[in-house]
Coordinates of all heavy atoms in Angstrom, one line a residue:
Chain B
L561 N 1.2 -26.8 -33.5 CA 0.8 -25.5 -34.0 C 1.9 -24.5 -34.3 O 1.6 -23.5 -35.0 CB -0.1 -24.9 -32.9 CG -1.4 -25.6 -32.7 CD1 -2.2 -25.1 -31.5 CD2 -2.3 -25.4 -33.9
V562 N 3.1 -24.7 -33.8 CA 4.1 -23.7 -34.1 C 5.2 -24.4 -34.9 O 6.3 -24.6 -34.3 CB 4.6 -23.1 -32.8 CG1 5.5 -21.9 -33.1 CG2 3.5 -22.6 -31.9
P563 N 5.0 -24.6 -36.2 CA 6.1 -25.3 -36.9 C 7.3 -24.4 -37.3 O 8.3 -24.8 -37.6 CB 5.4 -25.8 -38.2 CG 4.2 -24.9 -38.3 CD 3.8 -24.4 -36.9
H564 N 7.0 -23.1 -37.2 CA 8.0 -22.1 -37.7 C 8.1 -21.0 -36.7 O 7.1 -20.4 -36.4 CB 7.7 -21.7 -39.1 CG 8.7 -20.8 -39.7 ND1 9.2 -19.6 -39.2 CD2 9.4 -21.1 -40.9 CE1 10.1 -19.2 -40.0 NE2 10.3 -20.0 -41.0
P565 N 9.3 -20.6 -36.2 CA 9.4 -19.5 -35.2 C 8.9 -18.2 -35.6 O 8.6 -17.3 -34.8 CB 10.9 -19.5 -34.8 CG 11.5 -20.1 -36.0 CD 10.6 -21.1 -36.6
E566 N 8.7 -18.0 -36.9 CA 8.2 -16.7 -37.3 C 6.7 -16.5 -37.1 O 6.2 -15.4 -37.1 CB 8.5 -16.5 -38.8 CG 8.2 -15.2 -39.4 CD 9.0 -14.0 -38.9 OE1 10.1 -14.3 -38.4 OE2 8.6 -12.9 -38.9
F567 N 6.1 -17.7 -36.9 CA 4.6 -17.7 -36.8 C 4.2 -18.3 -35.4 O 4.1 -19.5 -35.3 CB 4.0 -18.5 -37.9 CG 4.3 -18.0 -39.3 CD1 5.4 -18.4 -39.9 CD2 3.6 -16.9 -39.8 CE1 5.7 -17.9 -41.2 CE2 3.9 -16.4 -41.1 CZ 5.0 -16.9 -41.8
K568 N 4.0 -17.4 -34.4 CA 3.7 -17.9 -33.1 C 2.4 -17.5 -32.5 O 2.1 -17.8 -31.4 CB 4.8 -17.2 -32.1 CG 6.1 -17.8 -32.3 CD 7.1 -17.2 -31.2 CE 8.5 -17.8 -31.4 NZ 9.5 -17.1 -30.7
M569 N 1.6 -16.8 -33.3 CA 0.4 -16.2 -32.7 C -0.8 -17.2 -32.8 O -1.2 -17.5 -33.9 CB 0.1 -14.9 -33.3 CG 1.3 -14.0 -33.1 SD 1.0 -12.3 -33.4 CE -0.2 -11.8 -32.2
L570 N -1.3 -17.6 -31.7 CA -2.4 -18.6 -31.7 C -3.7 -18.0 -31.2 O -3.6 -17.1 -30.3 CB -2.0 -19.8 -30.8 CG -0.7 -20.4 -31.0 CD1 -0.5 -21.5 -30.0 CD2 -0.6 -21.0 -32.4
S571 N -4.8 -18.4 -31.7 CA -6.1 -18.0 -31.1 C -7.0 -19.1 -30.9 O -6.8 -20.2 -31.4 CB -6.7 -17.0 -32.1 OG -6.9 -17.6 -33.3
V572 N -8.0 -18.9 -30.0 CA -8.9 -19.9 -29.6 C -10.3 -19.6 -30.0 O -10.7 -18.5 -29.8 CB -8.8 -20.1 -28.1 CG1 -9.8 -21.2 -27.6 CG2 -7.4 -20.4 -27.6
R573 N -11.0 -20.5 -30.6 CA -12.5 -20.3 -30.8 C -13.2 -21.6 -30.3 O -12.7 -22.7 -30.5 CB -12.7 -20.2 -32.3 CG -12.0 -19.1 -33.0 CD -12.6 -17.8 -32.7 NE -11.9 -16.7 -33.4 CZ -10.9 -16.0 -32.9 NH1 -10.5 -16.3 -31.6 NH2 -10.3 -15.0 -33.5
N574 N -14.3 -21.4 -29.6 CA -15.0 -22.6 -29.2 C -16.5 -22.5 -29.5 O -17.1 -21.5 -29.6 CB -14.7 -22.9 -27.7 CG -15.5 -21.9 -26.8 OD1 -15.7 -20.8 -27.1 ND2 -15.9 -22.5 -25.7
V575 N -17.0 -23.7 -29.7 CA -18.5 -23.9 -29.8 C -18.9 -25.1 -29.0 O -18.2 -26.0 -28.9 CB -18.9 -24.1 -31.3 CG1 -18.7 -22.9 -32.1 CG2 -18.2 -25.3 -31.9
P576 N -20.1 -25.1 -28.4 CA -21.0 -24.0 -28.3 C -20.7 -23.2 -27.1 O -19.9 -23.6 -26.2 CB -22.3 -24.7 -28.2 CG -22.0 -25.9 -27.4 CD -20.6 -26.3 -27.8
H577 N -21.2 -22.0 -27.0 CA -21.0 -21.2 -25.8 C -22.3 -20.4 -25.5 O -22.7 -19.6 -26.3 CB -19.8 -20.2 -26.0 CG -19.2 -19.8 -24.8 ND1 -17.8 -19.9 -24.6 CD2 -19.7 -19.4 -23.6 CE1 -17.5 -19.5 -23.3 NE2 -18.6 -19.2 -22.7
M578 N -22.9 -20.7 -24.4 CA -24.1 -20.0 -24.1 C -24.4 -20.0 -22.6 O -23.7 -20.7 -21.8 CB -25.3 -20.7 -24.8 CG -25.4 -22.2 -24.5 SD -26.6 -23.0 -25.5 CE -26.0 -22.7 -27.1
S579 N -25.4 -19.3 -22.2 CA -25.7 -19.2 -20.8 C -26.3 -20.5 -20.3 O -26.8 -21.3 -21.1 CB -26.7 -18.1 -20.5 OG -27.9 -18.4 -21.2
E580 N -26.2 -20.8 -19.0 CA -26.7 -22.0 -18.5 C -28.2 -22.3 -18.8 O -28.6 -23.4 -19.0 CB -26.4 -22.1 -17.0 CG -25.1 -22.8 -16.7 CD -25.0 -23.1 -15.2 OE1 -25.9 -23.7 -14.7 OE2 -24.0 -22.7 -14.6
N581 N -28.9 -21.2 -18.7 CA -30.4 -21.3 -19.0 C -30.6 -21.9 -20.4 O -31.4 -22.8 -20.6 CB -31.1 -20.0 -18.8 CG -30.8 -19.4 -17.5 OD1 -30.5 -20.1 -16.6 ND2 -31.0 -18.1 -17.4
S582 N -29.9 -21.3 -21.4 CA -30.1 -21.7 -22.7 C -29.7 -23.2 -22.9 O -30.2 -23.9 -23.7 CB -29.4 -20.8 -23.7 OG -29.6 -19.5 -23.4
L583 N -28.6 -23.5 -22.2 CA -28.0 -24.8 -22.4 C -29.0 -25.9 -22.1 O -29.0 -26.9 -22.8 CB -26.8 -25.0 -21.4 CG -25.8 -26.1 -21.7 CD1 -25.3 -26.0 -23.1 CD2 -24.7 -25.9 -20.7
A584 N -29.9 -25.7 -21.2 CA -30.8 -26.8 -20.8 C -31.8 -27.1 -22.0 O -32.3 -28.2 -22.1 CB -31.7 -26.3 -19.6
Y585 N -31.9 -26.2 -22.9 CA -32.9 -26.4 -24.0 C -32.2 -26.6 -25.3 O -32.9 -26.6 -26.3 CB -33.8 -25.1 -24.1 CG -34.5 -24.9 -22.8 CD1 -34.1 -23.9 -22.0 CD2 -35.6 -25.7 -22.4 CE1 -34.8 -23.6 -20.8 CE2 -36.3 -25.4 -21.3 CZ -35.9 -24.4 -20.4 OH -36.5 -24.2 -19.3
S586 N -30.9 -26.8 -25.3 CA -30.3 -27.0 -26.6 C -29.8 -28.4 -26.8 O -29.4 -29.1 -25.9 CB -29.1 -26.0 -26.7 OG -29.5 -24.8 -26.2
T587 N -29.8 -28.8 -28.0 CA -29.1 -30.1 -28.4 C -28.2 -29.8 -29.5 O -28.4 -28.9 -30.3 CB -30.2 -31.2 -28.9 OG1 -30.9 -30.6 -29.9 CG2 -31.0 -31.6 -27.7
F588 N -27.2 -30.6 -29.6 CA -26.1 -30.4 -30.6 C -25.8 -31.6 -31.3 O -25.9 -32.8 -30.8 CB -24.9 -29.9 -29.9 CG -25.1 -28.8 -29.0 CD1 -25.1 -29.0 -27.6 CD2 -25.3 -27.5 -29.4 CE1 -25.3 -27.9 -26.7 CE2 -25.5 -26.5 -28.6 CZ -25.5 -26.7 -27.2
T589 N -25.4 -31.4 -32.6 CA -24.8 -32.6 -33.3 C -23.4 -32.2 -33.6 O -23.1 -31.0 -33.8 CB -25.6 -32.8 -34.6 OG1 -25.4 -31.6 -35.4 CG2 -27.0 -33.1 -34.4
W590 N -22.5 -33.2 -33.8 CA -21.2 -32.9 -34.1 C -21.1 -32.2 -35.5 O -20.3 -31.3 -35.7 CB -20.3 -34.2 -34.1 CG -20.0 -34.6 -32.7 CD1 -20.4 -35.8 -32.1 CD2 -19.2 -33.9 -31.8 NE1 -19.9 -35.9 -30.8 CE2 -19.2 -34.7 -30.6 CE3 -18.6 -32.7 -31.7 CZ2 -18.5 -34.3 -29.4 CZ3 -17.9 -32.3 -30.6 CH2 -17.9 -33.1 -29.4
A591 N -21.9 -32.7 -36.4 CA -21.9 -32.2 -37.7 C -22.1 -30.7 -37.7 O -21.4 -29.9 -38.3 CB -22.9 -32.9 -38.6
G592 N -23.2 -30.3 -37.0 CA -23.5 -28.9 -36.9 C -22.4 -28.1 -36.2 O -22.0 -27.0 -36.7
L593 N -21.9 -28.6 -35.1 CA -20.9 -27.8 -34.4 C -19.6 -27.6 -35.3 O -19.1 -26.5 -35.4 CB -20.5 -28.6 -33.1 CG -21.5 -28.6 -32.0 CD1 -21.0 -29.5 -30.9 CD2 -21.7 -27.2 -31.5
L594 N -19.2 -28.7 -35.9 CA -18.0 -28.6 -36.7 C -18.2 -27.8 -37.9 O -17.2 -27.1 -38.4 CB -17.5 -30.0 -37.1 CG -17.0 -30.8 -35.9 CD1 -16.8 -32.3 -36.2 CD2 -15.7 -30.2 -35.4
K595 N -19.4 -27.8 -38.5 CA -19.6 -26.9 -39.6 C -19.4 -25.5 -39.2 O -18.8 -24.7 -39.9 CB -21.0 -27.2 -40.1 CG -21.3 -26.5 -41.5 CD -22.6 -27.1 -42.0 CE -23.1 -26.1 -43.1 NZ -24.5 -26.1 -43.3
H596 N -20.0 -25.1 -38.1 CA -19.9 -23.7 -37.6 C -18.4 -23.4 -37.3 O -17.9 -22.3 -37.7 CB -20.7 -23.5 -36.3 CG -22.1 -23.2 -36.6 ND1 -23.0 -24.2 -36.9 CD2 -22.8 -22.0 -36.6 CE1 -24.2 -23.6 -37.1 NE2 -24.1 -22.3 -36.9
L597 N -17.8 -24.3 -36.7 CA -16.4 -24.0 -36.3 C -15.5 -23.8 -37.5 O -14.7 -22.9 -37.6 CB -15.8 -25.2 -35.5 CG -14.6 -24.9 -34.6 CD1 -14.9 -23.8 -33.6 CD2 -14.2 -26.2 -33.8
R598 N -15.7 -24.6 -38.5 CA -14.9 -24.5 -39.8 C -15.2 -23.2 -40.4 O -14.3 -22.5 -40.9 CB -15.3 -25.6 -40.7 CG -14.5 -25.6 -42.0 CD -14.8 -26.8 -42.8 NE -14.1 -26.8 -44.1 CZ -14.5 -26.2 -45.2 NH1 -15.6 -25.6 -45.2 NH2 -13.7 -26.3 -46.3
Q599 N -16.5 -22.8 -40.5 CA -16.7 -21.5 -41.1 C -16.2 -20.3 -40.3 O -15.8 -19.3 -40.8 CB -18.2 -21.3 -41.3 CG -18.6 -20.2 -42.2 CD -18.0 -20.3 -43.6 OE1 -17.7 -21.4 -44.1 NE2 -17.9 -19.2 -44.3
M600 N -16.2 -20.5 -38.9 CA -15.6 -19.5 -38.1 C -14.1 -19.3 -38.4 O -13.6 -18.2 -38.5 CB -15.8 -19.8 -36.6 CG -17.1 -19.5 -36.0 SD -17.5 -20.4 -34.5 CE -16.4 -19.5 -33.4
L601 N -13.5 -20.4 -38.7 CA -12.1 -20.4 -39.0 C -11.9 -19.7 -40.3 O -11.1 -18.8 -40.5 CB -11.5 -21.8 -39.1 CG -10.1 -22.0 -39.8 CD1 -9.1 -21.3 -38.9 CD2 -9.8 -23.4 -39.9
I602 N -12.7 -20.1 -41.3 CA -12.4 -19.6 -42.7 C -12.8 -18.1 -42.8 O -12.1 -17.3 -43.4 CB -13.4 -20.3 -43.7 CG1 -13.0 -21.8 -43.8 CG2 -13.3 -19.7 -45.1 CD1 -13.9 -22.6 -44.6
S603 N -13.9 -17.7 -42.1 CA -14.3 -16.3 -42.3 C -13.8 -15.4 -41.2 O -14.2 -14.2 -41.1 CB -15.8 -16.2 -42.3 OG -16.3 -16.6 -41.0
N604 N -12.9 -15.9 -40.3 CA -12.3 -15.1 -39.3 C -13.4 -14.6 -38.3 O -13.3 -13.4 -37.8 CB -11.6 -13.9 -39.9 CG -10.5 -13.4 -39.0 OD1 -10.3 -13.9 -37.9 ND2 -9.8 -12.4 -39.5
A605 N -14.4 -15.4 -38.0 CA -15.4 -15.0 -37.0 C -14.9 -15.3 -35.6 O -14.2 -16.3 -35.4 CB -16.7 -15.7 -37.3
K606 N -15.3 -14.5 -34.6 CA -14.8 -14.7 -33.3 C -15.7 -15.5 -32.5 O -15.4 -16.0 -31.4 CB -14.6 -13.3 -32.6 CG -14.1 -12.2 -33.4 CD -12.6 -12.2 -33.3 CE -12.1 -11.0 -34.2 NZ -10.7 -10.8 -34.2
M607 N -17.0 -15.6 -32.9 CA -17.9 -16.4 -32.2 C -19.0 -17.0 -33.1 O -19.0 -16.6 -34.3 CB -18.6 -15.6 -31.1 CG -19.3 -14.4 -31.7 SD -20.1 -13.5 -30.3 CE -20.9 -12.3 -31.2
E608 N -19.9 -17.8 -32.6 CA -20.7 -18.5 -33.5 C -21.9 -17.7 -34.0 O -22.7 -18.2 -34.8 CB -21.2 -19.8 -32.9 CG -22.0 -19.6 -31.6 CD -21.9 -20.9 -30.8 OE1 -21.0 -21.0 -30.0 OE2 -22.9 -21.7 -30.9
E609 N -22.1 -16.5 -33.6 CA -23.2 -15.7 -34.1 C -22.6 -14.7 -35.1 O -21.5 -14.2 -35.0 CB -23.8 -14.9 -33.0 CG -25.3 -14.6 -33.2 CD -25.8 -13.9 -32.0 OE1 -26.0 -14.5 -30.9 OE2 -26.0 -12.7 -32.2
G610 N -23.4 -14.4 -36.1 CA -22.9 -13.4 -37.1 C -21.8 -13.9 -38.0 O -21.0 -13.2 -38.5
I611 N -21.8 -15.2 -38.2 CA -20.7 -15.8 -39.1 C -21.1 -15.4 -40.6 O -22.2 -15.5 -41.0 CB -20.7 -17.3 -39.0 CG1 -20.4 -17.7 -37.5 CG2 -19.6 -17.9 -39.9 CD1 -20.4 -19.2 -37.3
D612 N -20.0 -15.1 -41.3 CA -20.2 -14.7 -42.7 C -20.1 -16.0 -43.5 O -19.0 -16.5 -43.7 CB -19.2 -13.7 -43.1 CG -19.4 -13.2 -44.6 OD1 -20.2 -13.8 -45.3 OD2 -18.6 -12.3 -45.0
W613 N -21.3 -16.5 -44.0 CA -21.2 -17.8 -44.7 C -20.8 -17.7 -46.2 O -20.7 -18.7 -46.9 CB -22.6 -18.5 -44.6 CG -22.9 -19.0 -43.2 CD1 -23.5 -18.3 -42.2 CD2 -22.4 -20.2 -42.6 NE1 -23.5 -19.1 -41.1 CE2 -22.9 -20.2 -41.3 CE3 -21.7 -21.3 -43.1 CZ2 -22.6 -21.3 -40.4 CZ3 -21.4 -22.4 -42.2 CH2 -21.9 -22.4 -40.9
H614 N -20.7 -16.4 -46.6 CA -20.3 -16.3 -48.0 C -18.8 -16.6 -48.3 O -18.4 -16.8 -49.4 CB -20.6 -14.8 -48.5 CG -22.0 -14.5 -48.5 ND1 -22.9 -15.3 -49.2 CD2 -22.8 -13.6 -47.8 CE1 -24.2 -14.8 -49.0 NE2 -24.1 -13.8 -48.2
V615 N -18.0 -16.5 -47.3 CA -16.6 -16.6 -47.5 C -16.3 -18.1 -47.7 O -16.8 -19.0 -47.0 CB -15.8 -16.2 -46.2 CG1 -14.3 -16.4 -46.4 CG2 -16.1 -14.8 -45.9
R616 N -15.6 -18.3 -48.8 CA -15.2 -19.7 -49.1 C -13.8 -19.8 -49.4 O -13.1 -18.8 -49.7 CB -15.9 -20.1 -50.5 CG -17.4 -20.0 -50.4 CD -18.1 -21.4 -50.8 NE -19.5 -21.3 -50.6 CZ -20.1 -21.5 -49.5 NH1 -19.5 -21.7 -48.4 NH2 -21.4 -21.4 -49.4
P617 N -13.2 -21.0 -49.1 CA -11.8 -21.1 -49.4 C -11.6 -21.1 -50.9 O -12.5 -21.4 -51.7 CB -11.5 -22.5 -48.9 CG -12.7 -23.2 -48.8 CD -13.8 -22.2 -48.6
P618 N -10.4 -20.6 -51.4 CA -10.2 -20.5 -52.8 C -10.2 -21.9 -53.4 O -9.7 -22.8 -52.8 CB -8.8 -19.8 -52.9 CG -8.2 -20.1 -51.6 CD -9.3 -20.2 -50.6
S619 N -10.6 -22.0 -54.6 CA -10.5 -23.3 -55.3 C -9.1 -23.6 -55.5 O -8.3 -22.7 -55.8 CB -11.3 -23.3 -56.5 OG -11.5 -22.0 -57.0
S620 N -8.7 -24.8 -55.3 CA -7.3 -25.2 -55.4 C -6.7 -24.8 -56.7 O -7.3 -25.0 -57.8 CB -7.1 -26.7 -55.1 OG -8.0 -27.4 -55.9
G621 N -5.5 -24.3 -56.7 CA -4.8 -24.0 -57.9 C -4.9 -22.5 -58.2 O -4.0 -21.9 -58.8
L622 N -5.9 -21.8 -57.7 CA -6.0 -20.4 -58.0 C -5.5 -19.7 -56.7 O -5.8 -20.1 -55.6 CB -7.4 -20.0 -58.3 CG -8.0 -20.5 -59.6 CD1 -9.5 -20.3 -59.6 CD2 -7.3 -19.9 -60.8

Side-chain angles (χ1 to χ4, degrees):
Chain B
L561 292 170
V562 189
H564 188 297
E566 186 66 23
F567 301 93
K568 286 183 182 168
M569 302 193 60
L570 309 177
S571 58
V572 178
R573 302 284 181 268
N574 75 326
V575 292
H577 205 131
M578 56 186 60
S579 62
E580 266 191 54
N581 304 337
S582 314
L583 196 53
Y585 301 103
S586 314
T587 51
F588 310 102
T589 61
W590 284 117
L593 288 176
L594 288 168
K595 189 166 162 210
H596 276 80
L597 199 57
R598 181 175 180 272
Q599 193 59 24
M600 279 162 72
L601 167 65
I602 295 176
S603 65
N604 207 356
K606 320 269 183 179
M607 59 177 182
E608 60 202 88
E609 212 179 283
I611 303 178
D612 184 354
W613 290 94
H614 294 302
V615 180
R616 301 239 175 274
S619 20
S620 45
L622 294 169

